[in-house]
Amino acid sequence: MTTRPAVLIEDWLPFEALGVDSQRERSSMTALPPTYYLHVWWARRPLSVSRAAILAGVLPQWSPDWPDHLQKHFPDEDAYHDWFVYLVGVRGDPVAGYKLVKWAKERGIKLKEHPYGGAPRAFSVSPSAEDLELMRDLLEYTWGERDISVMDVTAGGGSIPFEALRYGFTTYANELNSVASVVLKATLDYPARFGPSLTSDIRKWGDEWARRVEQRLAKYFPKQPNENIFAYLWARTVACPTTGKPVPLSPNWWLRKPKGQPEKNVAIQLIANPDWDIPQFVIKYGDSIDFDPSEGTVNRGVGRSPWTGEAIEGDYIKREAQEGRMGQMLFALATKESGGLNFRVPSHDELEAVRNAEIALSQYLPSWEAAGLVPSDPIPDGNKTDEPHRYGMFQWTDMFSPRQLLAMLTFLETLQELSGEIRTELSPDRAVAVETYLSLMLDKCPNYNSRLASWHAPRTVLRSVFDRHDFSFKWTFGEFDGASNMAPWAVDQVEKAYRELAELASPAQYALWQDESVPPFERLEIWQGSATDLEQVPNNSLHNITFDPPYEANVMYAELSDFFYVWLKRSVGHLFPEFFQDYLTNKDDEAVANEA
């Protein structure tokens, strides 16, 4: 075409409806779209807005001059707009539902009926074959062809290209970041290529990985009979400047503190008897809490010794950390029981298991280093890495306690051992897909099993490393049961995400309305590189570019994703060598305002 047609997004969009649906899409942290659960990525775009932007960017503005068969469907502009809203997946009247929710909330009223009339969230609605055929009629009239190509030049977590694929467009996804590039393969390519059938392979090999991990790590995570350990809770320590005894540093000593339910409060009391070499801990419940758990041993970076009561200056704490003398102390365990979480102090056997894990790590480390498994890469200077450096974390391995690192390296070694078996049983392309998802399982683990993953007493959950967009130092941190719980949790998360992605992007849907000789995955290209260099894109091959650019200094994607890059490089780098040519992620070409 010599001129671009006038498209709908230049004239109109249902902003209110899309705004409400975007809020609904994110309203429940346990029912987010499957794209969120596959792997961490920052600032993901809502799927409903992504599909609306694409569709409104290729569909025409309404015209009274349309041919009869289009006039029959859209006799006026309102009818066309209504159909577009339906095509996007919006059902009912979300704006009215939102106003009802707001009205009830302001008055403290609990609604008895669903405010949105039970209407599904737009992202969960797949377009019908009839609507897609009508859409393609409009595209053919507008562009002179039915096969429309859409590109996202900074594809990130993949919301835009995922929706482009769901609507049958030839899709190009470009991304500078290597971590996001792997996520794009897992989000876009494999669900469209293999559909739901790959789910059983992911589950089979994920379970086998978890089983072997448990065999190797069980002795380092002992437990009482029929006990399910939810989390181990640790405090960072420095030596008291006067006595030399360990000072566990914690801003408070709450274990559970639900809002408005003081009877359910749980706290742990630190006791430092002058005759002891290390402090002891006592757990107290509800009315028996006879001290102020909000008063911890560190506040605004300044510590307080429980042995002498003296202040411990922040500069001393940082100096101890930078000299490698900051330690950690296990002070409590959270266990799952029928009535919820319970808490207890660690037993002698559990403390001994921690020491044994440290010994085992020192024994295995030389061979793991020789095999290239250990992410001892230096943490580079950057906008978001100042704080880890201030507290003595100079290599990526420093982000983990010894037992956490032992678990992570066991995960990685076991995964590499499975690689050959997977390739023996499965076809080459299917084996690559399964290995990729197992690598994403491994890569989910450090986000909740690091010295930067903290305990959230009001909700009694582990917070991820990236509960904020930085590497904020944590005085206390949580640890998963690396033998029994960590790998199975990761397997469940990734398997569920894949299954739901495949259901949303199943090839069976496309067969209803597309030429079956051109399956969806052959309408997809994923490139890793700068958006300033798109030489691989043929001239005159794109109808639409829809993308959501980085927001100046909002997220330092490359700096943050190095945390995952160092593990992915070792688990999946052999599958995608083109993604992992750099020592760490590319920061020089990233379009963010990073003074570092």
Side-chain angles (χ1 to χ4, degrees), residues 38-39 182 186 190 198-210 411-412 414-419 422 426 430-445 487 490-491 494-495 567-568 571-572 575:
L38 200 58
H39 192 280
V182 175
Y190 303 139
L198 192 69
T199 307
S200 59
D201 291 328
I202 294 171
R203 169 57 68 179
K204 172 186 173 180
W205 290 103
D207 286 346
E208 178 61 18
W209 173 61
F411 293 168
L412 179 57
T414 307
L415 182 58
Q416 289 193 352
E417 292 171 359
L418 277 177
S419 176
I422 295 171
L426 301 177
R430 204 172 181 93
V432 168
V434 170
E435 278 195 71
T436 300
Y437 289 110
L438 264 63
S439 296
L440 294 181
M441 293 171 192
L442 183 150
D443 221 37
K444 288 180 72 71
C445 295
V491 172
V494 172
E495 183 264 353
W567 294 104
L568 271 184
S571 64
V572 80
L575 301 179

Side-chain angles (χ1 to χ4, degrees), residues 42-45 383-384 468-470 548-557 560 590-594:
W42 300 269
R44 289 181 182 272
R45 298 304 95 205
N383 186 299
K384 298 299 181 183
R468 302 187 331 190
H469 295 162
D470 59 18
D548 183 67
Y551 297 157
E552 194 178 21
N554 185 42
V555 182
M556 301 298 130
Y557 297 92
L560 299 183
E590 188 177 39
V592 296
N594 188 339

Side-chain angles (χ1 to χ4, degrees), residues 207-220:
D207 286 346
E208 178 61 18
W209 173 61
R211 185 187 68 79
R212 297 189 189 187
V213 162
E214 183 172 19
Q215 284 181 336
R216 298 186 186 189
L217 292 177
K219 60 185 175 182
Y220 305 114

Side-chain angles (χ1 to χ4, degrees), residues 104-312:
K105 188 174 182 179
E106 289 172 349
R107 290 159 178 77
I109 298 172
K110 187 175 182 179
L111 297 173
K112 295 181 179 180
E113 297 182 358
H114 196 291
Y116 299 100
R121 293 173 294 171
F123 83 86
S124 66
V125 178
S126 295
S128 69
E130 292 76 18
D131 280 327
L132 289 170
E133 191 64 28
L134 183 53
M135 178 191 78
R136 288 162 71 81
D137 288 344
L138 284 163
L139 295 175
E140 185 173 29
Y141 172 78
T142 307
W143 298 92
E145 53 188 305
R146 300 173 76 81
D147 182 14
I148 299 298
S149 57
V150 175
M151 184 172 190
D152 183 349
V153 295
T154 59
S159 296
I160 291 169
F162 181 69
E163 288 301 322
L165 276 178
R166 291 182 71 187
Y167 281 78
F169 301 122
T170 295
T171 303
Y172 302 96
N174 182 78
E175 172 56 44
L176 179 68
N177 190 285
S178 302
V179 174
S181 298
V182 175
V183 174
L184 289 172
K185 291 289 290 186
T187 301
L188 307 176
D189 189 340
Y190 303 139
R193 184 182 298 268
F194 301 108
S197 70
L198 192 69
T199 307
S200 59
D201 291 328
I202 294 171
R203 169 57 68 179
K204 172 186 173 180
W205 290 103
D207 286 346
E208 178 61 18
W209 173 61
R211 185 187 68 79
R212 297 189 189 187
V213 162
E214 183 172 19
Q215 284 181 336
R216 298 186 186 189
L217 292 177
K219 60 185 175 182
Y220 305 114
F221 295 88
K223 60 189 70 177
Q224 297 174 4
N226 302 316
E227 185 178 52
N228 184 355
I229 298 173
F230 178 67
Y232 298 86
L233 306 183
W234 296 76
R236 303 303 297 271
T237 64
V238 293
C240 170
T242 299
T243 67
K245 297 177 181 180
V247 175
L249 298 167
S250 178
N252 66 75
W253 295 107
W254 289 110
L255 298 178
R256 181 170 63 211
K257 197 175 187 295
K259 185 177 180 180
Q261 297 177 288
E263 72 281 359
K264 294 186 178 181
N265 287 349
V266 183
I268 188 162
Q269 186 173 19
L270 182 154
I271 302 173
N273 188 308
D275 296 331
W276 298 341
D277 293 328
I278 59 174
Q280 302 294 316
F281 297 92
V282 177
I283 294 177
K284 296 191 174 181
Y285 298 83
D287 294 339
S288 71
I289 300 175
D290 54 1
F291 68 104
D292 186 0
S294 297
E295 290 188 10
T297 50
V298 66
N299 183 30
R300 297 182 181 273
V302 177
R304 179 182 58 82
S305 171
W307 305 103
T308 65
E310 67 186 296
I312 305 175

Side-chain angles (χ1 to χ4, degrees), residues 250-527:
S250 178
N252 66 75
W253 295 107
W254 289 110
L255 298 178
R256 181 170 63 211
K257 197 175 187 295
K259 185 177 180 180
Q261 297 177 288
E263 72 281 359
K264 294 186 178 181
N265 287 349
V266 183
I268 188 162
Q269 186 173 19
L270 182 154
I271 302 173
N273 188 308
D275 296 331
W276 298 341
D277 293 328
I278 59 174
Q280 302 294 316
F281 297 92
V282 177
I283 294 177
K284 296 191 174 181
Y285 298 83
D287 294 339
S288 71
I289 300 175
D290 54 1
F291 68 104
D292 186 0
S294 297
E295 290 188 10
T297 50
V298 66
N299 183 30
R300 297 182 181 273
V302 177
R304 179 182 58 82
S305 171
W307 305 103
T308 65
E310 67 186 296
I312 305 175
E313 294 301 323
D315 287 344
Y316 170 84
I317 294 173
K318 292 170 187 172
R319 188 166 59 250
E320 288 293 285
Q322 290 168 7
E323 294 297 327
R325 292 191 291 268
M326 177 174 272
Q328 55 270 319
M329 179 178 290
L330 179 62
F331 65 86
L333 285 79
T335 62
K336 280 187 176 181
E337 299 183 0
S338 57
L341 289 185
N342 196 12
F343 300 89
R344 63 176 178 83
V345 295
S347 67
H348 175 270
D349 288 345
E350 283 156 341
L351 295 176
E352 188 66 22
V354 169
R355 287 188 284 271
N356 290 338
E358 294 174 358
I359 294 170
L361 179 64
S362 65
Q363 291 174 341
Y364 296 144
L365 212 50
S367 61
W368 281 338
E369 287 175 336
L373 300 184
V374 184
S376 53
D377 318 60
I379 300 173
D381 293 332
N383 186 299
K384 298 299 181 183
T385 53
D386 268 0
E387 194 161 358
H389 286 168
R390 284 199 298 271
Y391 289 98
M393 290 180 275
F394 300 109
Q395 298 179 339
W396 294 104
T397 50
D398 296 333
M399 296 281 193
F400 304 90
S401 70
R403 189 165 67 170
Q404 288 174 334
L405 186 58
L406 176 70
M408 286 298 303
L409 292 169
T410 301
F411 293 168
L412 179 57
E413 182 182 52
T414 307
L415 182 58
Q416 289 193 352
E417 292 171 359
L418 277 177
S419 176
E421 298 177 38
I422 295 171
R423 290 171 180 271
T424 299
E425 284 203 20
L426 301 177
S427 63
D429 56 347
R430 204 172 181 93
V432 168
V434 170
E435 278 195 71
T436 300
Y437 289 110
L438 264 63
S439 296
L440 294 181
M441 293 171 192
L442 183 150
D443 221 37
K444 288 180 72 71
C445 295
N447 194 33
Y448 287 93
N449 203 46
S450 158
R451 282 171 167 162
L452 301 186
S454 58
W455 181 250
H456 191 273
R459 294 178 54 219
T460 57
V461 295
L462 277 173
R463 280 184 290 213
S464 74
V465 171
F466 295 109
D467 60 325
R468 302 187 331 190
H469 295 162
D470 59 18
F471 291 112
S472 60
F473 178 78
K474 306 299 194 304
W475 298 105
T476 61
F477 64 91
E479 179 188 25
F480 255 94
D481 175 352
S484 303
N485 287 348
M486 184 90 252
W489 166 82
V491 172
D492 288 344
Q493 287 262 308
V494 172
E495 183 264 353
K496 180 176 183 290
Y498 177 83
R499 173 168 39 83
E500 293 179 358
L501 284 169
E503 289 169 354
L504 291 177
S506 173
Q509 296 176 7
Y510 302 127
L512 294 172
W513 54 275
Q514 277 190 320
D515 179 356
E516 294 186 41
S517 66
V518 186
F521 62 86
E522 291 188 8
R523 295 172 173 267
L524 169 69
E525 290 281 354
I526 298 172
W527 293 304

Side-chain angles (χ1 to χ4, degrees), residues 5-72:
V7 291
L8 188 58
I9 199 168
E10 298 173 287
D11 180 59
W12 171 87
L13 267 182
F15 289 110
E16 282 189 293
L18 291 172
V20 172
D21 196 83
S22 295
Q23 290 189 8
R24 289 188 67 199
E25 186 173 311
R26 291 296 304 271
S27 61
S28 172
M29 295 307 293
T30 59
L32 294 169
T35 48
Y36 288 83
Y37 294 107
L38 200 58
H39 192 280
V40 171
W41 194 252
W42 300 269
R44 289 181 182 272
R45 298 304 95 205
L47 295 182
S48 56
V49 169
S50 298
R51 62 166 60 173
I54 296 165
L55 294 171
V58 295
L59 287 170
Q61 298 175 16
W62 182 82
S63 170
D65 299 325
W66 280 351
D68 290 345
H69 72 285
L70 293 179
Q71 285 284 355
K72 178 182 177 183

